[in-house]
Amino acid sequence: MSDAMRTLTSEAGADDPLKALHAVSEMRTELDRHEATLVRRARNLGMRWQMIATALGVSRQAVHKKYGRR
């Protein structure tokens, strides 16, 4: 886990709900970015959409729609 994610994880448990919500929002953005990078790496390694979809727990169509046209 990156230092940024460790910090955000800690902040997500803050007593201040606004601070915690901001941290959760930032975590979501960071995770989306990381997921996109991993999908691109998997595709560059020749992995099929179905394999990626299974790893993400979604349909092949869903993952292709989200990442296929980038």
Side-chain angles (χ1 to χ4, degrees), residues 48-61 63:
R48 296 179 182 257
W49 289 114
Q50 184 59 56
M51 296 169 69
I52 297 167
T54 299
L56 292 172
V58 299
S59 70
R60 181 188 61 78
Q61 292 85 352
V63 77

Side-chain angles (χ1 to χ4, degrees), residues 25 28 35 40 44 52 67 69:
S25 176
R28 188 175 293 116
E35 179 179 283
R40 189 171 46 254
N44 288 341
I52 297 167
Y67 297 109
R69 300 189 178 135

